[in-house]
Amino acid sequence: QVQLVESGGGLVQPGGSLRLSCAASGRIFSIYIMGWYRQAPGKQRRLVATITSGGSIDYADSVKGRFTISRDNAKNAVYLQMNSLKPEDTALYYCYVGTTEMPYWGQGTQVTVSS
Protein backbone atom coordinates (compact mmCIF):
# COMPACT_ATOMS: atom_id res chain seq x y z
CA GLN A 1 0.00 0.00 0.00
CA VAL A 2 1.26 3.46 -0.88
CA GLN A 3 1.85 5.75 2.07
CA LEU A 4 2.69 9.44 2.27
CA VAL A 5 4.79 10.41 5.29
CA GLU A 6 4.99 14.06 6.30
CA SER A 7 7.61 15.65 8.52
CA GLY A 8 8.80 19.09 9.55
CA GLY A 9 5.85 20.40 11.49
CA GLY A 10 6.17 21.90 14.92
CA LEU A 11 5.75 24.95 17.10
CA VAL A 12 7.17 28.25 15.86
CA GLN A 13 6.82 31.91 16.80
CA PRO A 14 5.15 34.41 14.47
CA GLY A 15 7.58 35.46 11.77
CA GLY A 16 9.45 32.18 11.94
CA SER A 17 9.94 29.51 9.30
CA LEU A 18 9.30 25.81 8.84
CA ARG A 19 9.92 23.40 5.99
CA LEU A 20 7.51 20.52 5.48
CA SER A 21 8.53 17.37 3.65
CA CYS A 22 6.43 14.57 2.23
CA ALA A 23 7.80 11.34 0.80
CA ALA A 24 5.80 8.58 -0.83
CA SER A 25 6.65 5.00 0.00
CA GLY A 26 5.62 1.90 -1.88
CA ARG A 27 4.85 1.68 -5.57
CA ILE A 28 3.33 4.77 -7.11
CA PHE A 29 3.00 5.66 -10.76
CA SER A 30 1.99 8.49 -13.06
CA ILE A 31 2.02 11.35 -10.57
CA TYR A 32 0.60 14.47 -12.18
CA ILE A 33 0.08 16.73 -9.17
CA MET A 34 1.42 17.05 -5.64
CA GLY A 35 0.59 19.53 -2.97
CA TRP A 36 -0.37 20.57 0.50
CA TYR A 37 -3.73 21.17 2.13
CA ARG A 38 -4.46 22.31 5.65
CA GLN A 39 -7.31 22.08 8.10
CA ALA A 40 -7.76 24.28 11.14
CA PRO A 41 -10.05 23.27 14.02
CA GLY A 42 -13.70 23.70 13.08
CA LYS A 43 -12.90 24.50 9.45
CA GLN A 44 -12.83 22.64 6.15
CA ARG A 45 -9.68 21.32 4.54
CA ARG A 46 -8.36 23.89 2.09
CA LEU A 47 -5.70 24.01 -0.59
CA VAL A 48 -2.40 25.61 0.40
CA ALA A 49 -0.27 24.95 -2.67
CA THR A 50 -0.02 22.48 -5.54
CA ILE A 51 2.58 21.73 -8.17
CA THR A 52 2.15 19.63 -11.30
CA SER A 53 4.73 17.32 -12.79
CA GLY A 54 5.22 19.98 -15.46
CA GLY A 55 5.98 22.63 -12.86
CA SER A 56 2.74 24.61 -12.79
CA ILE A 57 2.15 26.03 -9.31
CA ASP A 58 -0.94 27.28 -7.54
CA TYR A 59 -1.03 28.98 -4.12
CA ALA A 60 -3.82 30.02 -1.84
CA ASP A 61 -4.07 33.80 -1.71
CA SER A 62 -3.35 33.77 2.01
CA VAL A 63 0.13 32.26 1.55
CA LYS A 64 1.32 33.94 -1.65
CA GLY A 65 4.70 35.55 -1.19
CA ARG A 66 5.41 33.61 2.00
CA PHE A 67 5.27 29.91 1.08
CA THR A 68 7.17 28.07 -1.64
CA ILE A 69 6.29 24.62 -2.91
CA SER A 70 8.82 22.37 -4.63
CA ARG A 71 9.14 18.74 -5.65
CA ASP A 72 11.62 16.00 -6.38
CA ASN A 73 10.06 13.65 -8.89
CA ALA A 74 12.87 11.11 -8.60
CA LYS A 75 12.16 10.76 -4.87
CA ASN A 76 8.38 11.09 -5.16
CA ALA A 77 8.65 13.92 -2.67
CA VAL A 78 7.09 17.34 -2.24
CA TYR A 79 8.17 20.17 0.06
CA LEU A 80 6.68 23.34 1.46
CA GLN A 81 8.95 26.13 2.66
CA MET A 82 6.93 28.37 4.96
CA ASN A 83 8.33 31.79 5.87
CA SER A 84 6.90 34.74 7.78
CA LEU A 85 4.50 32.44 9.55
CA LYS A 86 1.37 33.89 11.11
CA PRO A 87 -0.92 32.54 13.84
CA GLU A 88 -3.60 32.00 11.19
CA ASP A 89 -1.31 29.46 9.52
CA THR A 90 -1.87 27.14 12.47
CA ALA A 91 -3.42 23.93 11.15
CA LEU A 92 -2.93 20.28 10.42
CA TYR A 93 -1.10 20.11 7.10
CA TYR A 94 -1.78 17.22 4.73
CA CYS A 95 0.35 16.06 1.85
CA TYR A 96 -1.55 15.22 -1.33
CA VAL A 97 -0.49 13.24 -4.39
CA GLY A 98 -2.72 12.81 -7.41
CA THR A 99 -2.09 10.06 -9.93
CA THR A 100 -3.91 8.66 -12.93
CA GLU A 101 -5.12 5.85 -10.65
CA MET A 102 -6.25 7.53 -7.44
CA PRO A 103 -5.49 10.30 -4.94
CA TYR A 104 -3.31 9.73 -1.89
CA TRP A 105 -3.28 11.62 1.39
CA GLY A 106 -0.76 11.82 4.19
CA GLN A 107 -1.68 11.47 7.84
CA GLY A 108 -1.09 15.15 8.56
CA THR A 109 1.59 17.09 10.40
CA GLN A 110 0.75 19.79 12.92
CA VAL A 111 1.96 23.35 12.45
CA THR A 112 1.38 25.73 15.34
CA VAL A 113 2.33 29.41 15.15
CA SER A 114 2.13 31.08 18.52
CA SER A 115 4.01 33.48 20.75
Side-chain angles (χ1 to χ4, degrees):
Q1 178 73 12
V2 172
Q3 291 185 316
L4 306 181
V5 180
E6 301 115 324
S7 63
L11 175 63
V12 65
Q13 294 184 352
S17 298
L18 287 172
R19 187 171 191 259
L20 305 183
S21 299
C22 174
S25 63
R27 303 301 301 276
I28 187 167
F29 305 97
S30 301
I31 296 173
Y32 71 89
I33 192 167
M34 296 177 282
W36 295 90
Y37 290 70
R38 66 188 182 187
Q39 186 169 22
K43 297 185 177 181
Q44 295 183 335
R45 188 178 300 184
R46 299 292 189 185
L47 179 147
V48 178
T50 58
I51 183 168
T52 69
S53 296
S56 297
I57 294 173
D58 187 34
Y59 293 105
D61 288 342
S62 59
V63 308
K64 288 180 179 177
R66 300 187 298 119
F67 291 10
T68 303
I69 190 170
S70 60
R71 74 194 191 283
D72 186 333
N73 291 334
K75 297 180 179 180
N76 289 333
V78 62
Y79 310 93
L80 187 68
Q81 179 66 45
M82 305 184 294
N83 298 326
S84 301
L85 283 162
K86 304 175 180 179
E88 49 264 46
D89 295 318
T90 296
L92 191 64
Y93 284 68
Y94 295 92
C95 178
Y96 169 77
V97 173
T99 73
T100 57
E101 300 175 355
M102 63 180 294
Y104 298 96
W105 291 93
Q107 79 287 346
T109 184
Q110 180 67 39
V111 171
T112 302
V113 185
S114 177
S115 60

